[in-house]
Amino acid sequence: MLIGLVRDSVMQCFCHSCRAPVLPAAHRRSAPVKKPVGKPRTKQPKKVKFITTEIRCQEMSKGGLAYEVILAEPIGVPVPRRADSPTEKTPSVEEIQEKLKAAEERRRSLEASKMAAIASKMAKIEEASRIRSEQTNNFISTTKEALDAKMENHEEKREAYINELRARLKDHLEGVEKTRLTLEQQTAEVYKAIEDKMATAADKRDENIKKMLERLREHEEQVRKVRAGNQERFQQLESAIQDKLQQAADRRLMLEAEQKEKLRNHERRAELVRQNKSARAESETVGTAVPGAAAAAAASSG
């Protein structure tokens, strides 16, 4: 709709003072203009002194427009006049009745042809509906047969699959039962071997306990013997240690007496040394005092 309005507005006169007639689309399309094969030749318009008064546009082909420019009214060309129509005769009553009868016959023939066409169309519709119903029934029957066959096939496959599963399950249960029996047998054998080992271990344990007790008694006897021998040795060592301690005490007393004697001698010597030093010091003080007194006397006499 919008495209039509735009086309109509474009095809109007540019001056908007007149309204150029717009040809219908059917008429425009009925007479398409062939496009030129080569390059179209354009003629240069002649120079005129008058101004364009009207522009008409017409769509000659799809996508192409043809413009008709009217510059001015033609000069010196007489306007063609319409020829006078001859005098018409007034029809009579008989002619009018004949025309009416002919029109009635034409109407009846048209109605009959229309009814025949409608009847043929209805017959075609009935035939098409019958064919369609037959095709539908055939399709339903064939589809039903195919579905029945498919269901039967599916049932057969399901039964075969179930039977196969039952056979596999039976084989599996038989294998499980065999495995269980072998496991029970192996378990009984293991239990028996463990009991035998436990019995032999208990016997060996009793024997080992007896041997260990015998070894313990022998060890205790050996310990008593060793302890008795060690007691004698301890007594001998104790007596030897007491003798050595006594000797050490006597020696220590002797050393103490000697040290005391050495200390007394040292003290006597030290006392003598001190006395000698004091005597020397006194003699030295006396010797230094006598020359000093002589010098003082000399000085006083002089």
Side-chain angles (χ1 to χ4, degrees), residues 62-79:
K62 189 175 181 181
L65 297 175
Y67 293 94
E68 182 180 358
V69 180
I70 299 173
L71 302 176
E73 293 295 332
I75 300 171
V77 179
V79 178

mmCIF file of all heavy atoms in Angstrom, residues 62-79:
data_model
loop_
_atom_site.group_PDB
_atom_site.id
_atom_site.type_symbol
_atom_site.label_atom_id
_atom_site.label_comp_id
_atom_site.label_asym_id
_atom_site.label_seq_id
_atom_site.Cartn_x
_atom_site.Cartn_y
_atom_site.Cartn_z
ATOM 1 N N LYS A 62 8.777 -2.991 -15.878
ATOM 2 C CA LYS A 62 9.087 -3.182 -14.464
ATOM 3 C C LYS A 62 10.431 -2.544 -14.130
ATOM 4 O O LYS A 62 11.459 -2.932 -14.664
ATOM 5 C CB LYS A 62 9.131 -4.672 -14.136
ATOM 6 C CG LYS A 62 9.233 -4.951 -12.657
ATOM 7 C CD LYS A 62 9.156 -6.432 -12.375
ATOM 8 C CE LYS A 62 9.241 -6.685 -10.884
ATOM 9 N NZ LYS A 62 9.191 -8.131 -10.579
ATOM 10 N N GLY A 63 10.374 -1.538 -13.249
ATOM 11 C CA GLY A 63 11.592 -0.853 -12.868
ATOM 12 C C GLY A 63 11.969 0.296 -13.790
ATOM 13 O O GLY A 63 12.985 0.939 -13.581
ATOM 14 N N GLY A 64 11.175 0.597 -14.828
ATOM 15 C CA GLY A 64 11.499 1.682 -15.746
ATOM 16 C C GLY A 64 10.331 2.656 -15.874
ATOM 17 O O GLY A 64 9.158 2.259 -15.783
ATOM 18 N N LEU A 65 10.613 3.909 -16.080
ATOM 19 C CA LEU A 65 9.594 4.953 -16.210
ATOM 20 C C LEU A 65 9.792 5.688 -17.535
ATOM 21 O O LEU A 65 10.930 5.867 -18.000
ATOM 22 C CB LEU A 65 9.680 5.948 -15.042
ATOM 23 C CG LEU A 65 9.401 5.389 -13.640
ATOM 24 C CD1 LEU A 65 9.655 6.466 -12.601
ATOM 25 C CD2 LEU A 65 7.982 4.896 -13.541
ATOM 26 N N ALA A 66 8.696 6.099 -18.110
ATOM 27 C CA ALA A 66 8.729 6.902 -19.339
ATOM 28 C C ALA A 66 8.004 8.213 -19.065
ATOM 29 O O ALA A 66 6.877 8.202 -18.546
ATOM 30 C CB ALA A 66 8.051 6.167 -20.495
ATOM 31 N N TYR A 67 8.653 9.314 -19.329
ATOM 32 C CA TYR A 67 8.090 10.650 -19.083
ATOM 33 C C TYR A 67 7.659 11.279 -20.414
ATOM 34 O O TYR A 67 8.378 11.188 -21.427
ATOM 35 C CB TYR A 67 9.113 11.554 -18.391
ATOM 36 C CG TYR A 67 9.453 11.120 -16.995
ATOM 37 C CD1 TYR A 67 10.542 10.298 -16.749
ATOM 38 C CD2 TYR A 67 8.667 11.518 -15.927
ATOM 39 C CE1 TYR A 67 10.837 9.895 -15.480
ATOM 40 C CE2 TYR A 67 8.957 11.111 -14.648
ATOM 41 C CZ TYR A 67 10.048 10.301 -14.423
ATOM 42 O OH TYR A 67 10.353 9.916 -13.151
ATOM 43 N N GLU A 68 6.512 11.906 -20.380
ATOM 44 C CA GLU A 68 5.983 12.626 -21.545
ATOM 45 C C GLU A 68 5.910 14.103 -21.171
ATOM 46 O O GLU A 68 5.134 14.466 -20.257
ATOM 47 C CB GLU A 68 4.602 12.103 -21.945
ATOM 48 C CG GLU A 68 4.051 12.785 -23.178
ATOM 49 C CD GLU A 68 2.676 12.230 -23.541
ATOM 50 O OE1 GLU A 68 2.201 11.295 -22.845
ATOM 51 O OE2 GLU A 68 2.084 12.733 -24.503
ATOM 52 N N VAL A 69 6.709 14.917 -21.803
ATOM 53 C CA VAL A 69 6.792 16.343 -21.497
ATOM 54 C C VAL A 69 6.011 17.105 -22.562
ATOM 55 O O VAL A 69 6.318 16.999 -23.767
ATOM 56 C CB VAL A 69 8.258 16.806 -21.446
ATOM 57 C CG1 VAL A 69 8.314 18.304 -21.120
ATOM 58 C CG2 VAL A 69 9.033 16.005 -20.424
ATOM 59 N N ILE A 70 5.012 17.828 -22.165
ATOM 60 C CA ILE A 70 4.209 18.678 -23.064
ATOM 61 C C ILE A 70 4.653 20.102 -22.843
ATOM 62 O O ILE A 70 4.454 20.659 -21.746
ATOM 63 C CB ILE A 70 2.704 18.512 -22.781
ATOM 64 C CG1 ILE A 70 2.293 17.047 -23.015
ATOM 65 C CG2 ILE A 70 1.886 19.444 -23.665
ATOM 66 C CD1 ILE A 70 0.893 16.748 -22.613
ATOM 67 N N LEU A 71 5.296 20.667 -23.801
ATOM 68 C CA LEU A 71 5.828 22.028 -23.673
ATOM 69 C C LEU A 71 4.743 23.080 -23.849
ATOM 70 O O LEU A 71 4.651 24.029 -23.066
ATOM 71 C CB LEU A 71 6.964 22.248 -24.671
ATOM 72 C CG LEU A 71 8.157 21.276 -24.548
ATOM 73 C CD1 LEU A 71 9.155 21.535 -25.657
ATOM 74 C CD2 LEU A 71 8.819 21.445 -23.199
ATOM 75 N N ALA A 72 3.903 22.955 -24.898
ATOM 76 C CA ALA A 72 2.848 23.945 -25.157
ATOM 77 C C ALA A 72 1.828 23.339 -26.111
ATOM 78 O O ALA A 72 2.022 22.229 -26.632
ATOM 79 C CB ALA A 72 3.447 25.225 -25.761
ATOM 80 N N GLU A 73 0.784 24.030 -26.301
ATOM 81 C CA GLU A 73 -0.229 23.570 -27.232
ATOM 82 C C GLU A 73 0.328 23.662 -28.668
ATOM 83 O O GLU A 73 1.111 24.559 -29.001
ATOM 84 C CB GLU A 73 -1.482 24.447 -27.120
ATOM 85 C CG GLU A 73 -2.210 24.297 -25.793
ATOM 86 C CD GLU A 73 -2.776 22.911 -25.620
ATOM 87 O OE1 GLU A 73 -3.078 22.253 -26.643
ATOM 88 O OE2 GLU A 73 -2.893 22.457 -24.455
ATOM 89 N N PRO A 74 -0.009 22.729 -29.523
ATOM 90 C CA PRO A 74 0.486 22.769 -30.897
ATOM 91 C C PRO A 74 -0.054 24.011 -31.621
ATOM 92 O O PRO A 74 -1.195 24.439 -31.406
ATOM 93 C CB PRO A 74 -0.013 21.475 -31.509
ATOM 94 C CG PRO A 74 -1.168 21.085 -30.668
ATOM 95 C CD PRO A 74 -0.856 21.556 -29.280
ATOM 96 N N ILE A 75 0.797 24.632 -32.475
ATOM 97 C CA ILE A 75 0.451 25.858 -33.200
ATOM 98 C C ILE A 75 0.195 25.506 -34.661
ATOM 99 O O ILE A 75 1.019 24.847 -35.307
ATOM 100 C CB ILE A 75 1.570 26.903 -33.094
ATOM 101 C CG1 ILE A 75 1.808 27.255 -31.623
ATOM 102 C CG2 ILE A 75 1.257 28.135 -33.910
ATOM 103 C CD1 ILE A 75 3.019 28.106 -31.419
ATOM 104 N N GLY A 76 -0.932 25.974 -35.204
ATOM 105 C CA GLY A 76 -1.244 25.759 -36.618
ATOM 106 C C GLY A 76 -1.824 24.414 -36.933
ATOM 107 O O GLY A 76 -2.032 24.091 -38.100
ATOM 108 N N VAL A 77 -2.080 23.584 -35.945
ATOM 109 C CA VAL A 77 -2.647 22.258 -36.175
ATOM 110 C C VAL A 77 -4.088 22.318 -35.711
ATOM 111 O O VAL A 77 -4.347 22.619 -34.524
ATOM 112 C CB VAL A 77 -1.889 21.172 -35.412
ATOM 113 C CG1 VAL A 77 -2.536 19.821 -35.659
ATOM 114 C CG2 VAL A 77 -0.438 21.164 -35.853
ATOM 115 N N PRO A 78 -5.029 22.107 -36.578
ATOM 116 C CA PRO A 78 -6.435 22.178 -36.155
ATOM 117 C C PRO A 78 -6.779 21.031 -35.207
ATOM 118 O O PRO A 78 -6.277 19.924 -35.353
ATOM 119 C CB PRO A 78 -7.193 22.087 -37.468
ATOM 120 C CG PRO A 78 -6.284 21.337 -38.375
ATOM 121 C CD PRO A 78 -4.891 21.750 -38.019
ATOM 122 N N VAL A 79 -7.616 21.352 -34.258
ATOM 123 C CA VAL A 79 -8.052 20.338 -33.293
ATOM 124 C C VAL A 79 -9.054 19.439 -33.973
ATOM 125 O O VAL A 79 -10.024 19.927 -34.575
ATOM 126 C CB VAL A 79 -8.695 21.012 -32.061
ATOM 127 C CG1 VAL A 79 -9.178 19.966 -31.090
ATOM 128 C CG2 VAL A 79 -7.693 21.936 -31.409
#
